[in-house]
Amino acid sequence: MKRTSLYGLHLSLGAKMVEFAGYEMPVQYPDGVLKEHLHTRAKAGLFDVSHMGQAFLSTTRTAQGSDAAHADISDAIETLLPGEIRKLKKGGMRYSVLLNAEGGVMDDLMVTRPPHDADQGSLFLVVNAACKDADFAHIGKSLAGRASLKIAADRSLLALQGPRAASVLNAIVPGCASQTFMTMAPYDWNGVPLIVSRCGYTGEDGFEVSVPDAKAEELARAMLAHPDVAPIGLGARDSLRLEAGLCLYGHDMDTTTSPVEGNIAFALGKRRREEANFPGAKRILAELANGPRRLRVGLKPEGRAPAREGTDIVDENGAKIGVVTSGGFGPTLNGPVAMGYVDFSHSKTGTAVQLMVRGKPLPASVVDMPVVPHTYYRG
Amino acid sequence: MTVKYTKDHEWVRLDGAVATIGVSTHAAEQLGDVVFVELPAVGKTFKKGDDMAVVESVKAASDVYAPISGEVVEINQAIVDDPAKVNADPQGAAWFVKLKPSNAAEANELMDEAAYMAFADSH
């Protein structure tokens, strides 16, 4: 099993390690999932997300450092995803999805346009750990002859999330607190090249910091030295993103679900819809026009019992209308919360449904996501 | 009034005609913060090994099995109302149910404290 460069740090912090996407990762520290979750929402949590895939995609057709080079690399990656990359501002980043020919989601990812003129023509990509080998093979093969993919196998990724994240990180990396949500900037941290992105997977304000492996533990320890920062494991990462209504690939989306069904139609750029030139455009545009067969929705069980992944969703007559794809207990909500796919006819906010938990129908309703509001920093 | 344990980490304490049942300290530690408990109705009967109750942490749900056969004579509503009690005192105040055993001799097949401790260390 693989280990991240913070493996030793996790053990020294008393983490309980589990297998995740081929890596030995901390699922929780001695504080436990509940306290870690609440700490992140109250102060700041440090997550090791080094198992995720980082890569730089660069055009091989045009010399780096011009707007033409950016247009070139954008045109290349836009053949694989439905997002507006060409018009991204310098230093801007976008959430998008790699699509197969049927419009199914192969993975979700972050695509970042570097801020500096000299770097135009490259994009910084961050993809899911479980999909990274397949994603990078797909991108490399599909764009052969027009772009080269350099996998950043020597970089770690640390996420610092929560209302105190900006003040904590700004003391270590001066200037980052002025970055707005979904922007990236490179920094020199004592001679170490950092890539700091203001984004995350908790619904909170926060950052993801790409750092060379050799300096990752030093940076993590610098963050942990602040009394507001606690290490947070995958358990709380999951409950935080669930409350924030964010998809976990392989659970809430897979190769059979389209971005419209997945309720992430915001990731379909306006120009891209008009041009209709992304994989699976026919299906996806038809779903946009006519409504999808099914839709990912938020679900709020009425009682205290959590409804877990795989729970059937039925209508008032007991007929199956969908299935829970993520579900559990939301510590901030102090109650159960779930998301899942339901037939489009039952997807309207407020629709009463029943969740079949251990053979018993539990009343629940379709709710807007996120159930815990996002607190992103928009300047 | 000895306590016996199952391989599924339940404990049972026979006290005259009543068996008090709960989950072990080891199990409570492994579960993490308990956020939901579901208990059976009083009067329900179980055979040894039946699903009897459910205990859930933020991350996962676990079944609690009947360590011996019997009829439920009392449930601990306090842990339904405040599931965190299961972490605080799993082998004391946070008992789950009391059974009237139909065959108290079944308890003889379970592990004693020393055997369970050795088992739990390796599980």
Side-chain angles (χ1 to χ4, degrees):
Chain A
M1 218 176 339
K2 290 181 274 189
R3 293 172 176 175
T4 72
S5 54
L6 297 186
Y7 177 79
L9 176 64
H10 298 315
L11 292 189
S12 73
L13 293 168
K16 183 174 161 187
M17 306 297 283
V18 297
E19 190 274 339
F20 183 82
Y23 284 81
E24 269 185 275
M25 298 298 290
V27 67
Q28 63 174 76
Y29 298 88
D31 274 350
V33 176
L34 195 71
K35 286 197 185 78
E36 290 171 27
H37 177 116
L38 296 172
H39 182 94
T40 304
R41 293 248 187 268
K43 293 179 177 176
L46 173 64
F47 304 73
D48 179 12
V49 289
S50 303
H51 54 316
M52 297 184 77
Q54 306 178 59
F56 299 92
L57 183 71
S58 305
T59 177
T60 51
R61 288 186 174 172
T62 310
Q64 295 275 302
S66 66
D67 288 348
H70 174 70
D72 222 26
I73 196 62
S74 300
D75 288 351
I77 200 163
E78 284 186 4
T79 63
L80 307 180
L81 50 77
E84 168 64 81
I85 307 301
R86 206 193 299 164
K87 291 182 187 165
L88 258 183
K89 291 197 172 83
K90 288 176 184 171
M93 55 196 298
R94 188 140 282 161
Y95 171 78
S96 195
V97 285
L98 294 172
L99 294 174
N100 63 24
E102 292 76 44
V105 177
M106 300 168 71
D107 195 9
D108 54 356
L109 79 167
M110 288 288 190
V111 180
T112 301
R113 179 180 184 178
H116 295 323
D117 288 346
D119 300 323
Q120 299 306 306
S122 288
L123 298 169
F124 177 50
L125 311 180
V126 178
V127 305
N128 280 303
C131 304
K132 65 182 177 183
D133 294 342
D135 288 353
F136 291 153
H138 170 66
I139 294 168
K141 191 177 163 209
S142 304
L143 304 183
R146 62 194 299 190
S148 74
L149 186 72
K150 186 170 151 263
I151 299 167
D154 56 348
R155 295 186 78 90
S156 298
L157 195 63
L158 310 184
L160 189 66
Q161 300 280 300
R164 304 277 173 83
S167 62
V168 169
L169 192 62
N170 200 63
I172 300 168
V173 185
C176 69
S178 64
Q179 283 179 238
T180 53
F181 180 58
M182 294 298 273
T183 67
M184 177 273 260
Y187 294 86
D188 181 301
W189 177 61
N190 307 326
V192 179
L194 302 182
I195 299 170
V196 177
S197 304
R198 196 145 195 178
C199 64
Y201 193 48
T202 60
E204 296 296 318
D205 181 24
F207 301 84
E208 289 182 0
V209 183
S210 172
V211 52
D213 286 340
K215 293 291 180 179
E217 182 167 343
E218 190 181 334
L219 180 61
R221 287 189 185 278
M223 294 178 187
L224 288 168
H226 196 289
D228 285 345
V229 179
I232 311 296
L234 293 179
R237 182 169 160 82
D238 193 51
S239 55
L240 287 158
R241 68 93 196 168
L242 178 61
E243 286 183 341
L246 301 171
C247 287
L248 175 60
Y249 187 78
H251 299 256
D252 307 305
M253 283 194 298
D254 60 31
T255 52
T256 71
T257 48
S258 76
V260 180
E261 291 177 329
N263 212 343
I264 52 164
F266 67 85
L268 306 168
K270 181 167 174 286
R271 172 179 58 85
R272 303 303 312 283
R273 298 180 194 199
E274 289 162 8
E275 291 176 355
N277 57 358
F278 49 84
K282 193 175 166 203
R283 167 196 179 180
I284 288 169
L285 295 172
E287 288 177 348
L288 272 180
N290 309 321
R293 187 175 63 78
R294 55 181 177 169
L295 189 69
R296 183 178 64 95
V297 296
L299 297 161
K300 185 78 192 80
E302 276 175 27
R304 298 287 297 170
R308 307 282 175 178
E309 179 177 359
T311 301
D312 280 346
I313 308 170
V314 303
D315 67 12
E316 64 274 20
N317 303 317
K320 183 173 171 179
I321 53 167
V323 64
V324 170
T325 52
S326 284
F329 183 86
T332 301
L333 218 56
N334 191 25
V337 57
M339 63 173 82
Y341 282 80
V342 293
D343 292 345
F344 190 59
S345 57
H346 287 78
S347 64
K348 206 169 156 223
T349 298
T351 303
V353 299
Q354 302 184 87
L355 307 175
M356 296 302 293
V357 176
R358 290 179 287 277
K360 282 174 284 184
L362 301 182
S365 51
V366 173
V367 294
D368 290 330
M369 292 182 287
V371 292
V372 172
H374 296 160
T375 56
Y376 302 138
Y377 178 71
R378 298 183 191 273
Chain B
M1 226 174 42
T2 55
V3 178
K4 296 288 192 113
Y5 297 85
T6 71
K7 287 183 175 175
D8 300 306
H9 306 284
E10 293 92 9
W11 57 263
V12 54
R13 192 180 64 226
L14 276 164
D15 188 4
V18 176
T20 305
I21 291 161
V23 299
S24 73
T25 302
H26 172 79
E29 282 168 6
Q30 291 297 309
L31 278 166
D33 300 290
V34 173
V35 297
F36 177 77
V37 174
E38 187 173 273
L39 297 178
V42 170
K44 204 154 184 236
T45 59
F46 293 96
K47 285 205 283 289
K48 178 180 177 172
D50 285 350
D51 295 354
M52 188 173 65
V54 175
V55 58
E56 302 204 25
S57 65
V58 177
K59 193 81 183 123
S62 302
D63 289 319
V64 177
Y65 303 103
I68 57 173
S69 306
E71 179 187 337
V72 178
V73 293
E74 193 179 346
I75 60 167
N76 188 0
Q77 185 63 33
I79 63 169
V80 175
D81 297 338
D82 182 10
K85 284 193 161 71
V86 175
N87 297 106
D89 192 10
Q91 295 195 207
W95 56 275
F96 277 50
V97 301
K98 296 189 179 183
L99 287 187
K100 185 172 80 182
S102 55
N103 178 9
E106 286 174 341
N108 297 336
E109 299 156 25
L110 303 177
M111 288 179 275
D112 64 14
E113 176 104 27
Y116 176 71
M117 290 308 220
F119 171 80
D121 277 348
S122 57
H123 291 77

